[in-house]
Amino acid sequence: MRIEARPYDHPHSQLLIDEVQQEYVVRYGTPDETPVDPAEFLPPKGRFFVGYVDDRPLVTGAWRDHGDGTAEIKRMYVSPDGRGKGLARRMLAEIERTVAESGIHKLILETGLMQPEAVALYQSSGYTPIPAFGFYAGHELSVHLGKEIACPSTPSVT
């Protein structure tokens, strides 16, 4: 898989965002209503990525800085044609890498009980329960997870 940083409003980003919103409708009855500003995903305060397999956009993942050493994962999604191939895990690794390079030391996310494969991915990647936050903080189907991220060491000057 080739991963490219793309703007939130790039056609490939929007194609996959539309797909994931339809997936939420199927699983939860409504799209994700979390307020999202596309500017939140522009460097240095965030990133939006599209993963390509054979030049087909099949995967998205993004993060946005919360301003307190914490960033939130958003829009992790794998199109049905890409599922079961480890693409989500590779996207998650890219998100973690770029967050660490940005000096952010903690990642948080919100997912849902109707996405057991997402919960399993995050838990198997070291994400653990955290206090609820954000738009779905009080929702009974919400799962809130977080993970400390090791930032690259700053070389010492001798």
Side-chain angles (χ1 to χ4, degrees):
M1 174 172 68
R2 182 181 90 249
I3 298 174
E4 300 284 339
R6 297 282 189 230
Y8 191 88
D9 60 357
H10 184 277
H12 294 160
S13 304
Q14 286 300 300
L15 171 76
L16 293 168
I17 290 167
D18 291 347
E19 278 187 30
V20 74
Q21 290 289 16
Q22 287 305 308
E23 185 87 14
Y24 295 143
V25 169
V26 169
R27 293 185 189 216
Y28 298 100
T30 64
D32 179 3
E33 297 175 344
T34 305
V36 172
D37 177 355
E40 294 174 314
F41 301 100
L42 295 173
K45 293 295 185 181
R47 304 284 188 291
F48 193 94
F49 300 105
V50 175
Y52 296 86
V53 175
D54 297 328
D55 293 323
R56 290 182 55 216
L58 293 179
V59 186
T60 58
W63 61 268
R64 60 183 178 183
D65 190 349
H66 277 218
D68 58 357
T70 301
E72 179 185 5
I73 295 174
K74 293 297 294 174
R75 298 297 182 248
M76 279 284 293
Y77 173 72
V78 179
S79 190
D81 289 346
R83 293 180 185 164
K85 300 175 183 173
L87 303 179
R89 194 167 300 280
R90 290 175 61 191
M91 181 62 76
L92 183 58
E94 180 69 4
I95 288 170
E96 291 179 355
R97 183 187 69 76
T98 58
V99 162
E101 285 179 352
S102 296
I104 296 168
H105 59 84
K106 185 172 184 179
L107 269 168
I108 61 173
L109 64 96
E110 183 276 329
T111 188
L113 293 176
M114 301 303 288
Q115 297 165 264
E117 63 278 78
V119 174
L121 167 71
Y122 295 125
Q123 289 177 336
S124 71
S125 299
Y127 289 78
T128 58
I130 61 169
F133 69 92
F135 191 80
Y136 290 104
H139 198 280
E140 64 186 17
L141 294 177
S142 251
V143 176
H144 296 84
L145 302 171
K147 179 180 177 180
E148 294 291 325
I149 303 296
C151 295
S153 316
T154 305
S156 60
V157 178
T158 57

